[in-house]
Amino acid sequence: MKRKAGREAFFYRKASAPLLTGDTGKKKTMTLDKLERGRSATIVQIFSENAERRRLFDLGILPGTRIESVMASPLGDPVAYRVRNSVVALRREQANLIEVEEERHEGFYR
């Protein structure tokens, strides 16, 4: 593809190229137990099986659902998460089986 000369060359950029915001286009995925308190994420995948998987689905923890870390117990386990306007407590080993994609927060706040 040929670039145009003159003024049009200044406005030329590939559609897939990131803007000057520092965005690399890659989304940050991690397990739910790594999500900091007060942060939100979207559930990508659940790696548990059988009865435990069914329990998580019954609690509303499904791929594509938004989840927020609300509070942790004094020793750090379990942790309370807000899912679909309900608060659910999960142990660290259960949260480690849930892959999430952290939401980007623009502006001053984290």
Side-chain angles (χ1 to χ4, degrees):
M1 186 173 210
K2 240 181 179 179
R3 290 187 179 197
K4 295 182 179 180
R7 184 172 178 205
E8 291 82 18
F10 178 77
F11 294 104
Y12 177 84
R13 83 172 171 91
K14 290 184 179 179
S16 62
L19 296 174
L20 298 176
T21 59
D23 183 17
T24 61
K26 295 181 182 178
K27 297 187 178 180
K28 182 179 178 184
T29 60
M30 63 182 142
T31 56
L32 185 58
D33 62 330
K34 304 282 192 277
L35 189 65
E36 295 177 16
R37 189 171 50 108
R39 302 298 298 253
S40 300
T42 302
I43 298 172
V44 176
Q45 192 171 7
I46 299 174
F47 295 105
S48 64
E49 296 179 359
N50 301 329
E52 187 175 24
R53 184 179 182 91
R54 176 65 185 189
R55 178 181 175 269
L56 293 174
F57 284 178
D58 289 344
L59 292 171
I61 300 173
L62 302 165
T65 304
R66 184 173 176 268
I67 191 165
E68 177 186 1
S69 178
V70 180
M71 68 178 83
S73 68
L75 297 177
D77 193 33
V79 177
Y81 299 97
R82 184 179 314 280
V83 182
R84 300 176 187 241
N85 281 337
S86 298
V87 178
V88 177
L90 296 177
R91 296 199 177 276
R92 183 171 285 128
E93 55 266 357
Q94 293 172 319
N96 192 27
L97 298 173
I98 301 171
E99 183 181 7
V100 296
E101 180 180 287
E102 189 172 15
E103 293 181 359
R104 290 179 47 104
H105 293 277
E106 301 294 332
F108 179 73
Y109 299 102
R110 286 188 65 179

